[in-house]
Amino acid sequence: MWHVFYLVDMFGAGTDTTLAVLDWAMTELLRHPNVMQKLQVEVRSMARDKTHINEEDLSGMSYLKAVIKEILRLHPPSPIMIPRESMQDTKVMGYDIAIGTQVLVM
């Protein structure tokens, strides 16, 4: 019975896309310090003496928008393709895939 709860936790964790996108954003920025530095310059120049950034400020941050779009392109929060159904029994990378199984391609 414990394995049912484990599976529910596993599938439930995959539905929180906001944290996953933020994790990937931080990972990519750490991997590309020149991009992070350029982004910091843009955000700091927009913020200046403000304590909070509002929506009007975001409209002027074109580099931030480009970085977010690139992160979403590299690490989409959902499967890129629609589910497929196997038409025959097959083996992929050592795993048996039965006929009629729905497969998500990432």
Side-chain angles (χ1 to χ4, degrees):
M1 186 67 171
W2 63 269
H3 59 282
V4 173
F5 297 115
Y6 177 73
L7 286 173
V8 170
D9 287 344
M10 186 174 71
F11 285 111
T15 60
D16 189 7
T17 57
T18 304
L19 290 177
V21 171
L22 287 175
D23 286 347
W24 278 119
M26 293 309 299
T27 301
E28 290 296 340
L29 288 172
L30 289 171
R31 289 181 61 214
H32 300 93
N34 56 334
V35 173
M36 182 167 28
Q37 185 177 18
K38 188 173 177 181
L39 187 58
Q40 285 173 336
V41 167
E42 182 182 68
V43 171
R44 288 176 180 154
S45 69
M46 186 61 68
R48 299 186 201 261
D49 298 331
K50 297 180 181 180
T51 56
H52 292 84
I53 295 176
N54 55 31
E55 261 186 79
E56 293 84 37
D57 298 329
L58 292 176
S59 64
M61 295 188 200
S62 57
Y63 193 67
L64 174 63
K65 289 179 187 178
V67 168
I68 291 171
K69 287 179 183 179
E70 182 66 5
I71 289 167
L72 290 171
R73 183 188 71 82
L74 292 172
H75 308 284
S78 62
I80 296 174
M81 297 180 68
I82 59 174
R84 304 290 183 175
E85 187 173 311
S86 64
M87 297 174 62
Q88 63 188 23
D89 290 338
T90 188
K91 186 172 263 195
V92 177
M93 297 177 66
Y95 294 97
D96 294 320
I97 309 295
I99 187 171
T101 301
Q102 284 198 352
V103 180
L104 289 174
V105 180
M106 296 297 281

